[in-house]
Amino acid sequence: ANEPYAARTGNKAFWLCFSFLLGVCAWMLLLCKPKLKNVLNAKKNVFSEAYEKFFTFFVPKKDYIVTPILMNLNILIFAALFLSENKNLLEWGANYGPAIIKGEYWRLLTNIFLHSGFIHLVCNMMGLVFVGICLEPLLGRTKFILAYLSIGIMASLTSAYWYGDTLSVGASGAIIGLYGMLLAFLMPKNLPREIRDPMLVITTVFVVSSLLMGFAKHNVDNAAHFSGLACGFLLGLLLDRDKKTALALLDTVKVDSSFNTVEE
């Protein structure tokens, strides 16, 4: 308490990036569910309607099945870890280079479903919602889950190699990889600008903000972030060789000319 004020302000760069990223996630959710805006103006049942619409993100439905299952699985595992007396992430399946070398390769997958804290979990799940709404109907359930898991494993492998004997957990490598795929799908110039430009801006801002957070805070796994982004982008280019895939975004996201309305 007697320290100079400048010494008590904490990691300002990290919190600046974190606040910006949180705002971007909230903005993306509003774009995905614009009807939430109407709740603020409703005279009756304001809280019940907002409550109901919030939980629609967690309920599987047509063309949106894998994403909520992944979200719910991550949340359940985090809850189990939180309630457990054993909170040793290594025993729960965290990524760890020396253990990988000994043959515990399953850690490359299990760590994708572990999170070190509540904020870590919330940020990743908010990012997963937006990219899942966009990509899952486009890729289909099988390709979407295969992309998510394969990118996550590659990101984990890179992290284990880069950081050596450091524990790492989290779905961010896989999630940023999905954003890399979305960036690849948004590259063709023949995609209508009313879809391409807003989504390209949102996706780029999310990716850049996530990477900046990694530079601002020393315990963020940027090796997994960069690896996941690169793998996802390359995978998106491979899947988009004939440029027809990008045009399918017209059937995935319905927008008006000002991008004020989005329908699933």
Side-chain angles (χ1 to χ4, degrees):
N2 297 322
E3 295 179 354
Y5 178 76
R8 292 185 280 116
T9 55
N11 193 330
K12 292 182 287 187
F14 166 74
W15 286 111
L16 179 63
C17 292
F18 171 74
S19 300
F20 182 67
L21 179 60
L22 196 61
V24 170
C25 290
W27 182 36
M28 290 190 298
L29 289 181
L30 286 175
L31 287 175
C32 293
K33 286 286 184 181
K35 292 183 180 179
L36 286 174
K37 299 176 183 178
N38 298 330
V39 175
L40 300 177
N41 299 322
K43 295 181 179 179
K44 298 180 180 179
N45 301 323
V46 173
F47 294 106
S48 61
E49 290 183 25
Y51 183 84
E52 179 183 350
K53 289 181 181 294
F54 172 77
F55 278 97
T56 59
F57 290 115
F58 300 90
V59 179
K61 52 189 174 181
K62 182 181 178 181
D63 296 329
Y64 181 72
I65 296 177
V66 175
T67 301
I69 289 176
L70 288 173
M71 289 175 58
N72 294 332
L73 182 59
N74 276 278
I75 293 170
L76 287 174
I77 292 175
F78 179 79
L81 175 62
F82 179 78
L83 296 174
S84 173
E85 294 183 358
N86 178 18
K87 294 181 172 56
N88 189 324
L89 289 174
L90 182 62
E91 295 182 12
W92 277 77
N95 192 17
Y96 186 54
I100 301 297
I101 294 175
K102 291 180 181 179
E104 298 180 7
Y105 303 115
W106 47 270
R107 293 182 179 274
L108 297 173
L109 177 63
T110 55
N111 86 94
I112 302 173
F113 298 93
L114 291 172
H115 291 83
S116 59
F118 181 72
I119 299 299
H120 186 202
L121 174 71
V122 170
C123 288
N124 279 347
M125 295 306 99
M126 290 179 71
L128 179 59
V129 167
F130 176 77
V131 76
I133 288 174
C134 294
L135 272 186
E136 186 176 343
L138 180 62
L139 294 175
R141 295 190 295 271
T142 303
K143 288 184 179 179
F144 182 80
I145 187 60
L146 288 177
Y148 181 86
L149 295 178
S150 60
I151 293 171
I153 290 173
M154 287 301 300
S156 299
L157 189 60
T158 303
S159 176
Y161 172 79
W162 190 265
Y163 292 112
D165 59 354
T166 301
L167 286 178
S168 64
V169 294
S172 54
I175 294 170
I176 292 181
L178 295 180
Y179 278 90
M181 291 187 70
L182 186 57
L183 281 174
F185 293 148
L186 293 171
M187 296 303 290
K189 295 182 179 180
N190 59 344
L191 190 66
R193 292 190 61 182
E194 64 268 20
I195 292 179
R196 180 177 181 268
D197 292 351
M199 293 186 68
L200 187 60
V201 169
I202 295 171
T203 303
T204 303
V205 169
F206 180 86
V207 169
V208 172
S209 300
S210 300
L211 296 178
L212 287 178
M213 279 189 64
F215 290 114
K217 193 170 178 62
H218 71 279
N219 62 345
V220 175
D221 193 349
N222 249 2
H225 291 176
F226 278 104
S227 175
L229 179 63
C231 290
F233 186 79
L234 291 175
L235 184 58
L237 291 179
L238 291 175
L239 292 175
D240 192 35
R241 286 173 295 180
D242 57 2
K243 306 305 178 185
K244 292 180 181 179
T245 308
L247 292 177
L249 281 169
L250 284 168
D251 297 323
T252 303
V253 182
K254 306 295 184 182
V255 298
D256 61 15
S257 59
S258 60
F259 203 67
N260 289 326
T261 303
V262 183
E263 300 176 359
E264 296 176 19

